[in-house]
Amino acid sequence: MPNSKVDLYAAIRRDARTGMSTRALMRKYGVGFNTVQRALTSALPEPRKKMRPRATRLDPYKPVIDAILRADLTAPRKQRHTVKRIYDRLLDEHEAVDVSYQMVRAYVAARREEIRLQAGKGVVEAFVPQTHRPGAEAEVDFGDVTVRLAGELVTCYLFAFRLSYSGKAVHRIFASAGQEAFFEGHVHALNVLGGVPTEKVRYDNLRAAVAQVLGLSRRRVEAERWTAFRSHYGIDALYCQPGIRGAHEKGGVEGQIGWFRRNHLVPVPEVDTLAELNAMIDRWDQEDDARRIRSRPRTIGEYFAAEQPLLAPLPEEPFETGRLSTPRVDRYSQICVRMNRYSVPVRLIGRTVRVMLHASELVVYDGREEVARHERLIARNGSRLELDHYLEALIRKPGALPGATALDQARAAGRFTPMHDAWWEAAVKAHGERDGTRALIEVLLLSRHLPHEHLVTGLAAALKTGALTADAVALEARKAADADTGVEEPPQPPSTTSHTAIAPLPAAVRANLPPDKRPLPSVAPYDQLLRLRRPDHPTP
């Protein structure tokens, strides 16, 4: 027996061509006369008739609901019926106790748009395919992502710059979606792409770019720095409509962010820094060049190879993406930037410094000298303090070190190790609270001249031998540094013009060295050599 009706019709038609009668076909296949006649008429079975819809308890009330929906077409927008109001009216005015809320909601969801279309109040949502010329257009957007950063779950922002023709996209993750991140994302993307689109770049009405939306038109009041940035790179911006319709105008980058998030950021990535995550993202962007978008015959990388030479060249001069501010250093040796506090060296207390705020870090300058560099805080009302900035004050106030906030942050960051604590404890037992803490501060001052890992090695060696002075730690640390090189330099011949450079001890260390009780050197032993003189030669 054939498996399907198509197979049945094919078998009947095959046997009929051999001369088999209709009655014989009916007996062989166990079908009626009409089935044989339909098979001989057409090779394809007729479509199955649709079943008549079953009656529901809502049927008597459908005309009432339709009348309510038609009345809503002319009602004020904020005074139209909700599903709940329609349901309540059915109960109150028509005693529809046998009708459930879910039945009314399903019917209204399907029927409301049909009535609008019948009245000519709406149109079917349609999307028109677009063709993009190579090197001409691009789309830009931000999307939020969740990252486990240094063990803490935080929300970050994924910047995406996508070329419309090839689909080549460049991504970057930032701690915020502010103007600094907006600019740095552009700079990174344009450098990777090697050029600038020659025509339109589509944007949302991001606060980093748009200061004000003017009515229902596409005219915008732009932020001044964004206007300068666009002018520098020659970007021609097109701003989409507000709301969901604007998202449809740049659907390429909207879909790209979702695809990238699902394929590369699931499960939630766990990293120590955003720089580590962005290095991974750069690698993923290169790997994505090998994929095809939907049914395109070539890969993204192949399309981009044809598009890249058609991009406009990049400007020769870089654009400063950071935001400059000039805060004043308070008595806690801190500055306030974007509702967060950052430390600077104590010698700058009371002075005004220059701060260049970037998307992921901030740099502090005193004149032209860089005096501090901090990773930017994500949340507000936080603080990031560097213990090294307070050492000059702590050498005079060693009692303030145990409770210092900067010490707690140094411990959390791993810069103040358990070896520091062990040496500190031993120094306090040997020299007392004040002198032992001051000895530790002198050791911490050595970190300005010696690498951290060598200093920790010097602490361990000095603790093992019981040498609880900064000089002993410095000596052991320099030994570790010499051993770390692994190659000893050959001895150099003595020279009167060349001198071996020796790193001097810090001034704070020299000022607190113990007194040298050794006698001063004397040349008295050499006086005995002066007694053995040769006799003078007689004068001729």
Side-chain angles (χ1 to χ4, degrees):
M1 192 69 182
N3 294 328
S4 67
K5 204 167 186 179
V6 175
D7 295 337
L8 174 63
Y9 277 28
I12 292 174
R13 292 168 66 88
R14 183 180 64 249
D15 290 343
R17 285 193 293 269
T18 63
M20 187 177 293
S21 65
T22 300
R23 188 176 297 276
L25 291 172
M26 292 167 57
R27 285 196 302 267
K28 180 177 180 179
Y29 294 104
V31 297
F33 177 81
N34 292 335
T35 301
V36 174
Q37 293 302 311
R38 285 195 294 268
L40 297 177
T41 302
S42 173
L44 292 175
E46 65 280 1
R48 184 188 295 263
K49 293 182 180 180
K50 291 185 179 180
M51 297 180 62
R52 295 179 59 183
R54 292 183 299 174
T56 67
R57 295 190 301 271
L58 188 64
D59 288 348
Y61 309 102
K62 287 182 178 179
V64 177
I65 298 175
D66 290 351
I68 293 175
L69 295 177
R70 290 191 181 94
D72 276 351
L73 295 176
T74 57
R77 182 176 63 85
K78 295 185 178 181
Q79 292 177 252
R80 296 172 185 170
H81 285 78
T82 62
V83 175
K84 184 179 184 305
R85 181 58 183 148
I86 294 174
Y87 179 66
D88 290 342
R89 287 190 61 183
L90 291 178
L91 293 178
D92 296 340
E93 301 174 13
H94 301 276
E95 297 181 355
V97 293
D98 55 341
V99 174
S100 68
Y101 174 81
Q102 286 76 15
M103 296 170 64
V104 176
R105 183 178 62 183
Y107 180 75
V108 171
R111 189 64 177 142
R112 194 193 296 270
E113 283 302 316
E114 293 178 358
I115 290 178
R116 285 182 58 83
L117 291 174
Q118 292 172 2
K121 297 289 186 178
V123 297
V124 177
E125 187 71 23
F127 298 93
V128 181
Q130 300 288 303
T131 299
H132 304 283
R133 292 191 300 275
E137 299 180 22
E139 300 168 355
V140 172
D141 201 6
F142 271 109
D144 59 290
V145 296
T146 300
V147 177
R148 190 171 296 279
L149 186 62
E152 182 181 357
L153 209 61
V154 297
T155 298
C156 298
Y157 299 90
L158 176 66
F159 174 89
F161 189 106
R162 181 183 185 272
L163 294 176
S164 300
Y165 171 76
S166 63
K168 169 70 174 178
V170 181
H171 304 86
R172 203 76 170 167
I173 284 187
F174 297 101
S176 72
Q179 194 176 68
E180 300 82 21
F182 188 58
F183 288 174
E184 290 184 23
H186 275 81
V187 172
H188 173 72
L190 295 176
N191 288 337
V192 171
L193 298 175
V196 183
T198 57
E199 295 183 11
K200 301 291 184 183
V201 180
R202 299 178 185 271
Y203 295 94
D204 273 339
N205 299 284
L206 300 169
R207 189 174 299 179
V210 176
Q212 183 180 0
V213 178
L214 300 178
L216 301 178
S217 67
R218 292 187 184 273
R219 294 186 300 114
R220 305 289 186 268
V221 176
E222 295 183 335
E224 290 186 357
R225 294 191 73 235
W226 167 238
T227 301
F229 184 89
R230 286 200 308 105
S231 175
H232 182 81
Y233 281 95
I235 296 174
D236 188 6
L238 174 66
Y239 300 104
C240 300
Q241 300 180 42
I244 189 65
R245 292 189 177 183
H248 292 160
E249 293 182 3
K250 55 179 185 59
V253 73
E254 295 275 355
Q256 170 65 35
I257 288 178
W259 185 94
F260 191 89
R261 189 163 40 202
R262 290 188 301 272
N263 287 270
H264 293 306
L265 300 176
V266 176
V268 174
E270 299 184 16
V271 293
D272 293 329
T273 62
L274 288 182
E276 178 185 347
L277 180 57
N278 281 321
M280 298 163 60
I281 287 177
D282 291 342
R283 185 178 72 253
W284 293 335
D285 282 344
Q286 294 177 359
E287 295 172 354
D288 288 345
D289 287 349
R291 73 181 182 95
R292 287 183 172 86
I293 299 177
R294 293 188 296 275
S295 59
R296 288 187 175 188
R298 292 184 291 171
T299 64
I300 293 175
E302 291 172 337
Y303 280 108
F304 177 65
E307 182 176 29
Q308 201 279 331
L310 301 178
L311 298 172
L314 294 171
E316 295 182 0
E317 295 294 328
F319 186 91
E320 178 54 67
T321 59
R323 182 182 291 274
L324 180 65
S325 61
T326 54
R328 185 179 180 84
V329 183
D330 63 14
R331 60 180 180 174
Y332 296 100
S333 192
Q334 298 174 17
I335 55 174
C336 183
V337 180
R338 293 289 181 90
M339 299 183 69
N340 286 310
R341 309 192 70 81
Y342 303 88
S343 67
V344 297
V346 293
R347 60 182 172 83
L348 300 175
I349 290 177
R351 298 180 59 175
T352 298
V353 295
R354 292 189 305 115
V355 176
M356 189 61 69
L357 180 65
H358 298 281
S360 300
E361 66 175 5
L362 62 85
V363 186
V364 185
Y365 295 93
D366 178 31
R368 295 185 178 182
E369 178 189 3
E370 179 182 325
V371 293
R373 183 182 293 264
H374 293 280
E375 184 179 350
R376 182 172 176 174
L377 290 166
I378 297 177
R380 292 184 175 183
N381 299 319
S383 64
R384 193 175 295 279
L385 309 181
E386 186 70 36
L387 181 59
D388 182 74
H389 293 161
Y390 294 91
L391 295 181
E392 282 81 3
L394 290 171
I395 200 72
R396 298 191 303 270
K397 301 178 179 180
L401 179 61
T405 305
L407 178 61
D408 291 340
Q409 294 190 9
R411 280 198 179 102
R415 293 189 296 272
F416 195 91
T417 65
M419 184 55 63
H420 286 80
D421 280 315
W423 194 93
W424 185 11
E425 182 180 357
V428 168
K429 289 181 179 179
H431 307 300
E433 185 73 28
R434 180 175 180 275
D435 293 338
T437 302
R438 179 170 288 172
L440 173 69
I441 297 170
E442 293 171 356
V443 170
L444 295 176
L445 285 166
L446 294 173
S447 62
R448 299 179 180 179
H449 307 278
L450 297 171
H452 176 75
E453 59 274 11
H454 295 156
L455 188 60
V456 174
T457 303
L459 282 168
L463 180 62
K464 186 177 181 180
T465 59
L468 302 175
T469 63
D471 293 342
V473 175
L475 180 61
E476 296 294 343
R478 289 192 178 99
K479 287 181 179 179
D482 294 339
D484 194 34
T485 59
V487 178
E488 294 186 2
E489 296 184 359
Q492 299 292 332
S495 173
T496 59
T497 58
S498 62
H499 302 279
T500 302
I502 300 176
L505 290 175
V509 176
R510 295 198 305 269
N512 293 277
L513 289 176
D516 190 356
K517 299 180 180 180
R518 294 175 297 177
L520 293 175
S522 173
V523 295
Y526 296 93
D527 290 343
Q528 58 183 345
L529 299 177
L530 300 177
R531 301 171 185 170
L532 301 177
R533 295 184 178 180
R534 293 183 180 181
D536 295 336
H537 296 284
T539 304

